[in-house]
Amino acid sequence: MEAVFREDRSRLLALLAARFGDLDLAEETASEAIEAALRRWPVDGVPDKPLAWLLTTARRKAIDRIRRDRAYAERLAMLHVESDRAAAAVPDDPGFDDIPDERLRLFFTCCHPALSPEARTALTLRCLAGLTTPEVARAFLVPTATMAQRVVRAKRKIRSARVPFRVPGPEELPARLPSVLRVVYLVFTEGYAASSGPGLLRPDLAEEAIRLARILHRLLPEEREVAGLLALLLLTDARRAARVDAAGGQVLLEDQDRTLWDADLIAEGQRLLVPALTGPGVGPYAVQAAIAALHDEATAIETTDWPQIVALYDVLLRLEPSPLVALNRAVAVAMRDGPEAGLDLLDALADAGELCGFHLLPAARADLLRRLGRTAEAAVAYRAALDLAGNESERATLARRLAELPDR
């Protein structure tokens, strides 16, 4: 049942949103249908077509809610007028192969220009990927209450502006694409390193992001940044099997068994990287994919082409300056020029305060201080990272590193 809900929730929400044109109503009735399934399925068994069962139940609840609420009287009349068109868009039997296109409709709706860039990504992560509001807040490095207000305002804007639930036409797609790409990227980021919970990985989210990136690539095969994003996700996800041990604990890059890396995903990502990097105006996802490819090509941490990685981070900082990119560049500089050089850059980032509350900065500082033999300072930094980390697997790694410090 958990697997069904995880797989079908976003499909159900997309189908309901397309049918009723109201995201709040879709979310509420989807939740009610899942609650009904939790009561019925343990008794009756999981149906042969779980999504069909959920959709039928949710539709009935939505119609009942509309009939009870006077405020929805006008909307109900509109639904009757549009019933033929809606039936064509959302079949009665959703056991068909085009359900991903329904989710793509909802992606572009949530990324509509009427919404702010922050609201577009937040709403899509919340509704399509099924992230909780705290998880979305962590992705944006903002308080949970701030993110909750942002999501509510975004849904209200969609309703008041009558944003259509549809995939844009070919002439609109290029302008709408960057927001959708960012959403897919952030969904994958949460799957690659979960912001909270017991496990480091959330494979369901990573696979969802890759699936959506593949859909976008099929729709827009000539868009180089779509190819760049898909290449990045594949080249990064290829290392998944080596990133945790048998007990689910985190395995850092330097300690990973590279024979476990997925050679097929690496090869596919490398093929996509060629067109993504060909021609002028290379985008940030293609640059990040090139960095991931250099990691995947190396036989060990010592043989990695760190000078080239630093050069690519220099390009990425010009294309998309951010404190996280600067943090990753500082780590690469430390690998190229030594820990002292990297530590100077990390200290400058700490002084700027842009990554305050983000555990990766003190964790990176702690590792460089450890390598320099400054164990007392490293212990302080590890404790600061422990206070900020939300994922239990990452916390266990930090605690182990702290315990291994001599004379701490």
Side-chain angles (χ1 to χ4, degrees):
M1 288 173 62
E2 181 182 355
V4 167
F5 295 151
R6 183 175 60 248
E7 175 65 22
D8 286 343
R9 180 190 176 277
S10 61
R11 297 184 181 186
L12 177 64
L13 185 60
L15 290 163
L16 291 170
R19 174 68 176 87
F20 295 104
D22 188 308
L23 195 49
D24 274 327
L25 179 65
E27 277 201 295
E28 290 167 4
T29 53
S31 296
E32 290 175 3
I34 290 173
E35 289 175 6
L38 288 170
R39 294 192 300 270
R40 294 285 302 278
W41 292 1
V43 177
D44 301 337
V46 177
D48 292 336
K49 294 184 177 179
L51 180 56
W53 191 100
L54 291 169
L55 182 58
T56 299
T57 303
R59 278 176 171 172
R60 290 171 180 164
K61 291 181 179 296
I63 294 298
D64 290 343
R65 183 184 291 261
I66 289 172
R67 286 171 174 159
R68 290 196 306 267
D69 193 338
R70 291 182 181 179
Y72 278 114
E74 180 182 347
R75 181 61 187 156
L76 181 60
M78 187 183 303
L79 286 172
H80 284 303
V81 172
E82 298 176 347
S83 59
D84 292 339
R85 179 169 45 179
V90 185
D92 289 331
D93 179 5
F96 59 108
D97 294 331
D98 290 335
I99 287 181
D101 288 343
E102 295 299 329
R103 282 192 275 190
L104 197 60
R105 290 185 187 201
L106 191 50
F107 260 87
F108 277 101
T109 300
C110 292
C111 296
H112 194 274
L115 304 175
S116 70
E118 296 82 4
R120 296 172 203 167
T121 309
L123 186 60
T124 309
L125 287 171
R126 178 69 186 87
C127 296
L128 269 297
L131 271 65
T132 65
T133 300
E135 287 170 340
V136 181
R138 189 170 182 83
F140 279 92
L141 307 179
V142 299
T144 299
T146 300
M147 184 54 61
Q149 294 172 356
R150 190 175 294 174
V151 170
V152 168
R153 286 195 299 267
K155 289 193 287 187
R156 188 181 300 134
K157 180 69 174 180
I158 287 177
R159 185 167 55 249
S160 63
R162 297 183 180 273
V163 171
F165 288 80
R166 66 178 180 86
V167 177
E171 70 284 353
E172 301 174 87
L173 277 174
R176 298 277 297 277
L177 190 58
S179 295
V180 177
L181 295 180
R182 176 165 173 76
V183 167
V184 175
Y185 176 75
L186 286 177
V187 172
F188 179 82
T189 299
E190 180 64 24
Y192 177 78
S195 58
S196 61
L200 177 68
L201 310 177
R202 291 186 62 179
D204 55 325
L205 291 180
E207 290 164 4
E208 173 75 0
I210 291 173
R211 189 191 61 77
L212 290 164
R214 290 190 188 278
I215 292 172
L216 286 172
H217 189 247
R218 287 198 299 270
L219 287 173
L220 301 168
E222 302 303 319
E223 289 288 338
R224 291 162 58 201
E225 266 295 77
V226 175
L229 176 63
L230 180 54
L232 171 62
L233 303 193
L234 295 174
L235 291 165
T236 305
D237 196 56
R239 303 193 289 266
R240 185 202 303 178
R243 294 186 60 238
V244 293
D245 58 25
Q250 182 183 22
V251 180
L252 300 176
L253 180 63
E254 60 199 72
D255 301 321
Q256 288 177 18
D257 179 358
R258 299 184 179 220
T259 64
L260 297 176
W261 292 1
D262 191 319
D264 291 337
L265 289 185
I266 292 173
E268 183 183 358
Q270 289 171 331
R271 288 193 298 270
L272 288 163
L273 189 55
V274 174
L277 292 174
T278 302
V282 174
Y285 294 116
V287 175
Q288 291 179 74
I291 294 171
L294 288 171
H295 282 297
D296 289 351
E297 292 166 2
T299 57
I301 197 78
E302 298 81 11
T303 61
T304 303
D305 191 348
W306 293 109
Q308 183 64 19
I309 288 178
V310 172
L312 286 169
Y313 273 123
D314 290 338
V315 174
L316 188 57
L317 270 176
R318 291 195 296 270
L319 292 174
E320 198 172 68
S322 82
L324 288 178
V325 174
L327 170 63
N328 288 328
R329 180 184 179 277
V331 173
V333 167
M335 298 302 295
R336 183 191 67 178
D337 300 335
E340 192 73 55
L343 187 60
D344 289 340
L345 296 173
L346 292 179
D347 287 341
L349 278 173
D351 292 339
E354 292 181 282
L355 290 174
C356 180
F358 197 57
H359 77 282
L360 289 180
L361 177 56
R365 288 189 74 255
D367 282 340
L368 295 186
L369 289 165
R370 175 181 55 83
R371 288 167 57 187
L372 289 168
R374 294 159 59 177
T375 55
E377 295 171 83
V380 173
Y382 277 128
R383 292 190 186 101
L386 272 167
D387 288 340
L388 296 171
N391 181 275
E392 293 178 22
S393 181
E394 289 181 312
R395 287 179 56 81
T397 300
L398 292 167
R400 185 178 69 251
R401 285 289 180 95
L402 174 61
E404 290 171 351
L405 288 176
D407 303 324
R408 65 184 185 278

